[in-house]
Amino acid sequence: MKKRLFSATLLICCLALLINGTMAYFTRSKIVDNVFTTSSINIAINEKNNIYDENGKHHQVDFTDLEFNNVMPGQTIGKIVTVSNIKESSQAYIRVKVEKNFINQYKTNKSDLSTDVIEIDFNNDNWTLKDGWYYYNTAVDSGETTRPLFENVMFDGKGMGNEYKNASCNIGIIAQAVQVRNNGSDVWSAKGWPAIEIKK
């Protein structure tokens, strides 16, 4: 499966203000440079899979390092999706969109196949669905990671007929973030979400 990663990053800009100050008697006049720097946000999407070694010990590996061939109807694939606010970034509100589609063996879109057979165990305790986006309910501090948006992808054993033969499932993840400071009282009142989604 392919991974699409998009992060919303606020650019760092500097404003230099020159102030001419005339001092009192026996002092000098001087120029003071005041630099004001805006905060920045940088996020990363994490996709992990749980595996167990021959001794039964649990490990998490990057999902993109794995290939799942010959997936059968009724099978469950572990796909743990979280979003990290990179260290030294400002506190951020985060939202994620999940896009499901099928492609056939010739890598062309199979839009005639219903994606309803792909079931995802969304975490509705920490994330809230609104207008097609899953919003993380609380602000994410610098260096912190959200609770998983979901952990498993299931394929409907009854709804998948022969028309799904040789089809591949693609689950795209789009994440966006905006700053918390001076931006509303919570994720629902925050402004500045990117209006344009960049497609890979």
Side-chain angles (χ1 to χ4, degrees), residues 124-149:
N124 295 312
D125 293 328
N126 302 109
W127 298 81
T128 300
L129 177 63
K130 181 180 179 182
D131 300 327
W133 290 87
Y134 281 89
Y135 291 79
Y136 198 62
N137 293 337
T138 57
V140 181
D141 291 334
S142 174
E144 297 298 317
T145 299
T146 67
R147 300 291 298 169
L149 173 59

Side-chain angles (χ1 to χ4, degrees), residues 44 62-63 90 100 130 200:
D62 285 335
F63 191 85
S90 297
K100 304 181 293 183
K130 181 180 179 182
K200 184 175 181 181

Side-chain angles (χ1 to χ4, degrees), residues 111-127:
S111 57
D112 56 314
L113 294 179
S114 173
T115 58
D116 291 342
V117 299
I118 306 171
E119 301 174 1
I120 299 176
D121 63 342
F122 287 107
N123 172 4
N124 295 312
D125 293 328
N126 302 109
W127 298 81

Side-chain angles (χ1 to χ4, degrees), residues 145-171:
T145 299
T146 67
R147 300 291 298 169
L149 173 59
F150 61 87
E151 299 188 31
N152 293 287
V153 178
M154 294 80 69
F155 296 89
D156 185 2
K158 298 180 180 179
M160 296 180 70
N162 287 333
E163 66 273 20
Y164 289 89
K165 183 178 180 181
N166 295 324
S168 297
C169 170
N170 180 43
I171 299 178

